[in-house]
């Protein structure tokens, strides 16, 4: 069990550029979640997948954000036309399905938009 | 919608002091409750959890009891250490809402030697 891994860990980009983050969940986990966390705040839910199906998207996920999990394994989160307000840590997490099952987090991908 | 409220920080304690971080929740269903900890520059780690009323979660000397009557899940530790300095997040999940976690705003704990 190698845990949830995210790449890149840090990304600095210019406003208007596109960025993509990748998440590799724990191998037997069928649920995958994306969260955003800004300094001094708790993580905010963005979206989640069960296998390859995206089952819920938060209102926080504007049209510039898109997430995919094409084969039910790894996932990507793309932000198009980045804005300074997108600067945050993007956390990926995974779990199996079931009441009270633990959700395991990766170490996050820091995004700074300059 | 469901929500979690935590006591505001930062909380500063001396080593070996008693710790309480208050957490209350609002939920329409029967959620599971969690405490996660985040050390500087790292992701979140599960500290403890409870899945039904009156369950007590415990780990590393920390404990919390799921109190349905007061909709609370307060975190306690009898004797904190400098290494406990971190940000603590209370969270709930409801399988009827995909099991996603809803977090409180976090409470920063600083323990001084």
């Amino acid at each position: 069990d190698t845990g949830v891994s995210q790449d890149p860990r840090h990304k600095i980009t210019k406003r208007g550029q596109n960025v993509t983050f990748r998440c590799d969940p724990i191998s037997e986990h069928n649920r995958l979640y994306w969260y955003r966390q800004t300094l001094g705040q708790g993580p905010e839910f963005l979206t989640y997948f069960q296998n390859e199906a995206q089952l819920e998207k938060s209102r926080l996920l504007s049209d510039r954000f898109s997430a995919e999990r094409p084969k039910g394994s790894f996932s990507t989160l793309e932000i198009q036309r980045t804005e300074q307000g997108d600067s945050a840590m993007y956390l990926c997490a995974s779990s199996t399905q079931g009441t009270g099952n633990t959700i395991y987090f990766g170490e996050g991908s820091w995004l700074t938009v300059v | 919608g469901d929500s979690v409220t935590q006591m505001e920080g930062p909380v500063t304690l001396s080593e070996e002091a008693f710790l309480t971080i208050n957490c209350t929740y609002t939920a329409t269903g029967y959620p599971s409750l969690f405490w996660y900890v985040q050390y500087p520059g790292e992701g979140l780690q599960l500290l403890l959890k409870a899945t039904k009323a009156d369950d007590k979660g415990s780990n590393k000397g920390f404990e919390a009891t799921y109190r349905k009557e007061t909709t609370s899940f307060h975190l306690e530790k009898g004797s904190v250490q400098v290494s406990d300095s971190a940000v603590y997040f209370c969270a709930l999940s409801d399988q009827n809402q995909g099991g996603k976690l809803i977090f409180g705003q976090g409470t920063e704990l600083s323990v001084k030697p």
Side-chain angles (χ1 to χ4, degrees):
Chain A
D1 181 356
T2 57
V4 179
S5 63
Q6 294 188 242
D7 183 70
R9 293 291 315 281
H10 301 273
K11 178 72 175 179
I12 300 174
T13 191
K14 292 184 178 179
R15 191 175 52 185
Q17 297 294 305
N18 299 345
V19 296
T20 299
F21 300 110
R22 176 182 169 121
C23 172
D24 287 273
I26 294 171
S27 58
E28 65 269 22
H29 286 183
N30 62 342
R31 283 189 171 170
L32 186 148
Y33 305 84
W34 286 100
Y35 288 81
R36 180 172 66 190
Q37 186 179 21
T38 54
L39 213 58
Q41 300 296 316
E44 297 172 298
F45 170 77
L46 293 178
T47 187
Y48 93 96
F49 293 83
Q50 184 159 301
N51 301 311
E52 66 275 11
Q54 188 173 19
L55 296 187
E56 187 176 348
K57 293 170 62 173
S58 162
R59 287 189 294 270
L60 294 174
L61 215 64
S62 75
D63 291 345
R64 296 184 296 105
F65 288 71
S66 62
E68 295 182 343
R69 193 183 184 198
K71 296 182 180 179
S73 56
F74 74 92
S75 176
T76 58
L77 176 68
E78 180 182 19
I79 309 173
Q80 296 183 327
R81 305 181 303 281
T82 52
E83 302 172 356
Q84 286 189 323
D86 297 331
S87 296
M89 182 160 69
Y90 292 85
L91 291 162
C92 178
S94 70
S95 75
T96 54
Q97 186 176 351
T99 300
N101 283 5
T102 299
I103 296 178
Y104 295 88
F105 284 81
E107 297 203 347
S109 293
W110 280 102
L111 173 65
T112 302
V113 181
V114 297
Chain B
D2 294 357
S3 65
V4 175
T5 302
Q6 292 180 233
M7 64 185 285
E8 290 193 15
V11 173
T12 302
L13 296 173
S14 297
E15 205 165 22
E16 299 184 4
F18 184 85
L19 168 71
T20 299
I21 300 178
N22 290 338
C23 171
T24 57
Y25 68 91
T26 302
T28 53
Y30 300 95
S32 298
L33 302 175
F34 302 81
W35 278 99
Y36 279 81
V37 59
Q38 188 173 36
Y39 298 99
E42 298 185 11
L44 285 86
Q45 302 173 27
L46 178 69
L47 182 59
L48 53 85
K49 68 179 182 181
T51 58
K52 61 183 187 297
D54 299 326
D55 270 3
K56 178 186 283 188
S58 61
N59 185 27
K60 299 180 182 179
F62 291 90
E63 58 182 35
T65 301
Y66 189 148
R67 300 287 188 200
K68 188 178 177 184
E69 63 276 13
T70 54
T71 62
S72 65
F73 193 55
H74 305 319
L75 182 69
E76 297 182 335
K77 187 175 185 182
S79 176
V80 293
Q81 306 300 312
V82 172
S83 58
D84 293 327
S85 298
V87 181
Y88 293 81
F89 293 95
C90 185
L92 67 81
S93 76
D94 185 340
Q95 283 304 311
N96 292 329
Q97 296 185 35
K100 66 179 184 287
L101 288 164
I102 297 170
F103 287 90
Q105 73 272 32
T107 303
E108 182 180 0
L109 171 66
S110 177
V111 181
K112 306 298 185 185

